[in-house]
Amino acid sequence: MSPRSVADAVGRGLRVAWLPNSLTLLRVGLVPIIVVALLSPTPPARATAGLCFLVACLTDFLDGWLARRHGIATALGQHLDPLADKIIVAAAMIMLAAMPPEPRVPAWMAVVIVVREIAVTGLRGIASSSGILLPAEELGKYKMIFQMFALEALLVHFPYAIPGTGLAIDFHAAGMVFLWVALVLSVWSGADYHVRILRQVRLD
């Protein structure tokens, strides 16, 4: 293999290795767009916020899939990916509780979900510094799925008619149903994570 071919292969490898982290950074970059869009209580603005959040969800799936498929998980990515998820969830929840139109997300629900995310992130950092690594459990995965559906619907907010049926989807009402499920799973999975960490600490 010629030196040029080797250099091209190395270049492609580096680009593939950085692609998951680039997608994660893109997710963080979407946060200001979502926040600005939510400053306006109009259907187009809410649709823009919903579209940005949908892109963020897709990149979250894609960067994890790329990292697993190519075996290119990095320490930076393992810390940056969950941090990006929590930033976008916290920003969306705070704006949904603070900004019109009515009805808004109850502020106490936003507080519980955001505090849970911060607490788990802090505990994970403390555990990691002590050499304790715990994989994600099914509860956390279900929480994330319901949370994504809830936030997507709540961001869109407005009712939209289903063509040819005479029916309409109330995105806010649907989002609140998903959010209640996500809230229960958030508290449950957060408590479970704390218990597992404490058990590991006692075993060590």
Side-chain angles (χ1 to χ4, degrees):
M1 183 179 291
S2 68
R4 183 182 180 86
S5 298
V6 172
D8 289 343
V10 171
R12 286 195 298 271
L14 289 174
R15 287 193 293 272
V16 171
W18 272 99
L19 185 54
N21 289 342
S22 299
L23 291 173
T24 300
L25 292 174
L26 171 62
R27 204 152 69 248
V28 175
L30 289 171
V31 172
I33 301 175
I34 292 174
V35 170
V36 171
L38 291 176
L39 293 174
S40 173
T42 62
R46 299 304 291 262
T48 299
L51 178 61
C52 288
F53 187 79
L54 178 61
V55 171
C57 292
L58 293 176
T59 58
D60 186 24
F61 167 78
L62 185 59
D63 64 14
W65 179 81
L66 286 171
R68 291 189 299 271
R69 180 177 176 82
H70 297 283
I72 51 177
T74 63
L76 175 62
Q78 289 174 351
H79 288 85
L80 188 60
D81 183 65
L83 180 61
D85 293 342
K86 287 165 176 53
I87 288 173
I88 198 166
V89 167
M93 287 299 302
I94 291 169
M95 293 300 293
L96 287 170
M99 302 301 297
E102 300 290 348
R104 304 179 193 179
V105 171
W108 70 267
M109 295 182 77
V111 169
V112 171
I113 290 174
V114 171
V115 168
R116 182 269 182 198
E117 299 295 336
I118 295 172
V120 169
T121 300
L123 189 62
R124 183 179 286 121
I126 294 171
S128 178
S129 65
S130 302
I132 301 172
L133 296 175
L134 290 178
E137 289 289 322
E138 292 297 318
L139 277 176
K141 295 176 182 177
Y142 292 142
K143 181 270 301 181
M144 181 183 67
I145 292 171
F146 277 100
Q147 196 167 260
M148 287 192 302
F149 278 109
L151 289 176
E152 181 63 34
L154 290 168
L155 287 170
V156 175
H157 182 79
F158 293 96
Y160 285 89
I162 303 175
T165 64
L167 302 174
I169 299 176
D170 187 335
F171 278 91
H172 180 81
M176 286 304 300
V177 172
F178 284 117
L179 189 62
W180 272 105
V181 178
L183 179 71
V184 172
L185 292 175
S186 291
V187 175
W188 188 0
S189 61
D192 176 71
Y193 193 85
H194 279 68
V195 169
R196 289 192 293 135
I197 288 290
L198 291 174
R199 285 176 178 170
Q200 284 292 106
V201 171
R202 288 176 182 174
L203 289 174
D204 293 343

